[in-house]
Amino acid sequence: MKFLHTSDWHLGRAFHRVNLLGAQAGFVDHLVETVREREVDAVLVAGDVYDRAVPPLPAVELFDRTLHRLADLGVPTVMISGNHDSARRLGVGAGLIDRAGIHLRTDPAGCAHPVVLADAHGEVALYGLPYLEPALVKDQFSADKVSHEAVLGAAMDRIRADLAARAPGTRSVVLAHAFVTGGQASDSERDITVGGVEAVPASVFDGVDYAALGHLHGCQTINERVRYSGSPLAYSFSEVHHRKTMWLIELGADGEIAGAERIDTPVPRPLARLRGRLDDLLADPAHAVHEDAWVEATLTDPVRPDDPMARLAARFPHTLSLAFDPEGREEESGSSYAQRLRGRSDQEIAEDFVAHVRGGGRADEAERAVLQGAFDDVRADDSRQETHR
């Protein structure tokens, strides 16, 4: 039986204020075509369908069209809610949609009630385990403490108990949304730390043939039977080296992983992280390959250059992020902020701020005059207000 494992669509999310809905629609087109061409038996979506609990209307419309297209294919789809989703909103109408072969699993109480499919080798039980917020479900699962490992372990105990009651040889797949030990995070996942502990061991999924995971945005293999598909699009520059894919998993007659193939997803625009002095970035021919990329630039000029974003955009028109890390910048002392300001006038503090944001070099005479005028105006205004009280 062949499964297409994907997750973390984050419908409605932007990339540094760039609207990605068109790129997300392109991914859905690719998903539907892959299901058709590769004769997939079921689609697995392991959470974070939306980017936030109340998604924008265009994202909801895209999701609605996606459900219709998947239902028209006649290929079962199992989806769970992730930590970005509103489980209750995503699950509205789940019972009715279930009849169309779209199985939304958003209620933790139903985690041990699988979608059961069959092929020539027997049945396969697909368990949807939505994101579990430990503090909210601890009592429901009779977990011994408030932690991700405790509540996931308790939920998996229910799943293993249901599986044990089924016919011998029944194969099993679990969809889950969690941070599993050994996984590599990126900057675009929302933190799910509880009490300083967020990761759960892969062993929590022992006893099932395949765990289709969501949450981490990089495609990765924890072990042969526990994998992340990653997000289909990049959502932060920390994902610059990610290869965005879906997993095509083939489950053998005895529950073995008979095949695991990465299916590339469309890339709307490549990412590039550039670092150096502004003049060097603008002149270096090696950067020609990045001229059509979304660019994050970190400038190392000792003094902040004039109009850096406009100058960068002249060569790299899709520059989205600009940061400064001046060469030779002195590290701040360990003294407190209050100690560093003690005995200094407002004018001196403001001039130091100008030097700090510039990356070096004191405020010049004209800048000092502007600052002095601003402080004079504020003091005069304060005096006027005081006389009218």
Side-chain angles (χ1 to χ4, degrees), residues 208-241:
V208 296
D209 296 313
Y210 183 68
L213 301 183
H215 179 57
L216 298 184
H217 288 183
C219 181
Q220 48 202 294
T221 301
I222 305 300
N223 61 50
E224 184 186 41
R225 297 183 181 276
V226 180
R227 301 172 189 257
Y228 284 98
S229 67
S231 60
L233 300 173
Y235 293 119
S236 75
F237 279 103
S238 66
E239 301 168 55
V240 63
H241 298 302

Side-chain angles (χ1 to χ4, degrees), residues 126-203:
L126 307 178
Y127 296 91
L129 184 53
Y131 171 70
L132 303 176
E133 184 61 50
L136 299 181
V137 301
K138 172 184 177 294
D139 293 338
Q140 180 180 349
F141 284 99
S142 302
D144 56 359
K145 58 182 178 179
V146 179
S147 75
H148 287 283
E149 182 175 356
V151 297
L152 266 175
M156 283 301 302
D157 285 343
R158 294 188 180 186
I159 288 172
R160 282 185 283 263
D162 178 83
L163 188 59
R166 296 184 177 273
T170 298
R171 291 161 290 167
S172 56
V173 173
V174 167
L175 288 76
H177 198 85
F179 188 174
V180 174
T181 303
Q184 297 297 313
S186 61
D187 293 343
S188 53
E189 299 117 6
R190 182 179 297 163
D191 183 32
I192 57 173
T193 303
V194 173
V197 179
E198 60 183 6
V200 300
S203 59

Side-chain angles (χ1 to χ4, degrees), residues 270-272 274 284-293 315-316:
L271 307 184
L274 305 182
D284 191 343
H287 294 319
V289 69
H290 303 308
E291 291 175 358
D292 195 44
R315 184 180 188 189
F316 308 104

Side-chain angles (χ1 to χ4, degrees), residues 17-79:
R17 300 178 300 281
V18 174
N19 190 318
L20 291 179
L21 201 66
Q24 291 171 334
F27 160 68
V28 170
D29 291 342
H30 176 68
L31 171 74
V32 170
E33 190 60 29
T34 300
V35 171
R36 183 184 296 113
E37 289 185 354
R38 302 301 294 269
E39 298 181 340
V40 170
D41 294 301
V43 176
L44 314 178
V45 186
D48 281 353
V49 175
Y50 290 122
D51 187 56
R52 54 183 185 267
V54 184
L57 183 58
V60 177
E61 292 171 341
L62 175 57
F63 180 59
D64 181 62
R65 293 195 301 271
T66 302
L67 294 185
H68 279 84
R69 295 177 70 182
L70 290 171
D72 288 344
L73 290 175
V75 175
T77 298
V78 182
M79 294 184 173

Side-chain angles (χ1 to χ4, degrees), residues 62-387:
L62 175 57
F63 180 59
D64 181 62
R65 293 195 301 271
T66 302
L67 294 185
H68 279 84
R69 295 177 70 182
L70 290 171
D72 288 344
L73 290 175
V75 175
T77 298
V78 182
M79 294 184 173
I80 61 171
S81 50
N83 60 303
H84 279 250
D85 298 309
S86 165
R88 294 189 66 179
R89 286 188 176 90
L90 186 64
V92 168
L96 184 62
I97 297 171
D98 195 80
R99 302 177 189 177
I102 307 294
H103 309 283
L104 297 175
R105 294 296 186 259
T106 63
D107 183 358
C111 68
H113 302 291
V115 175
V116 179
L117 306 180
D119 63 9
H121 306 292
E123 293 187 339
V124 179
L126 307 178
Y127 296 91
L129 184 53
Y131 171 70
L132 303 176
E133 184 61 50
L136 299 181
V137 301
K138 172 184 177 294
D139 293 338
Q140 180 180 349
F141 284 99
S142 302
D144 56 359
K145 58 182 178 179
V146 179
S147 75
H148 287 283
E149 182 175 356
V151 297
L152 266 175
M156 283 301 302
D157 285 343
R158 294 188 180 186
I159 288 172
R160 282 185 283 263
D162 178 83
L163 188 59
R166 296 184 177 273
T170 298
R171 291 161 290 167
S172 56
V173 173
V174 167
L175 288 76
H177 198 85
F179 188 174
V180 174
T181 303
Q184 297 297 313
S186 61
D187 293 343
S188 53
E189 299 117 6
R190 182 179 297 163
D191 183 32
I192 57 173
T193 303
V194 173
V197 179
E198 60 183 6
V200 300
S203 59
V204 77
F205 299 108
D206 285 353
V208 296
D209 296 313
Y210 183 68
L213 301 183
H215 179 57
L216 298 184
H217 288 183
C219 181
Q220 48 202 294
T221 301
I222 305 300
N223 61 50
E224 184 186 41
R225 297 183 181 276
V226 180
R227 301 172 189 257
Y228 284 98
S229 67
S231 60
L233 300 173
Y235 293 119
S236 75
F237 279 103
S238 66
E239 301 168 55
V240 63
H241 298 302
H242 286 189
R243 174 188 165 198
K244 295 301 183 181
T245 60
M246 303 175 286
W247 281 114
L248 183 62
I249 300 295
E250 187 169 356
L251 199 62
D254 298 319
E256 75 278 12
I257 304 299
E261 179 185 352
R262 292 179 68 178
I263 307 293
D264 290 296
T265 56
V267 178
R269 192 178 296 281
L271 307 184
R273 273 182 153 171
L274 305 182
R275 180 182 179 88
R277 295 192 176 197
L278 178 58
D279 288 342
D280 295 338
L281 296 183
L282 296 178
D284 191 343
H287 294 319
V289 69
H290 303 308
E291 291 175 358
D292 195 44
W294 280 321
V295 169
E296 176 192 74
T298 300
L299 301 185
T300 61
D301 300 72
V303 176
R304 184 179 298 223
D306 292 334
D307 209 9
M309 180 60 92
R311 292 170 65 188
L312 276 170
R315 184 180 188 189
F316 308 104
H318 305 289
T319 301
L320 300 181
S321 176
L322 178 60
F324 297 90
D325 186 15
E327 298 169 356
R329 181 173 58 183
E330 294 182 3
E331 295 294 329
E332 293 183 353
S333 67
S335 58
S336 70
Y337 181 66
Q339 289 171 330
R340 295 198 300 273
L341 298 186
R342 188 173 295 125
R344 302 181 67 76
S345 68
D346 291 343
Q347 176 82 16
E348 290 172 325
I349 293 169
E351 290 178 13
D352 286 347
F353 175 75
V354 170
H356 172 75
V357 297
R358 178 180 287 147
R362 309 293 298 176
D364 60 27
E365 190 65 34
E367 290 168 334
R368 288 197 295 271
V370 170
L371 291 171
Q372 185 64 58
F375 284 121
D376 289 345
D377 288 345
V378 169
R379 281 190 288 269
D381 187 59
D382 285 345
S383 297
R384 284 193 297 271
Q385 292 186 36
E386 185 65 29
T387 59

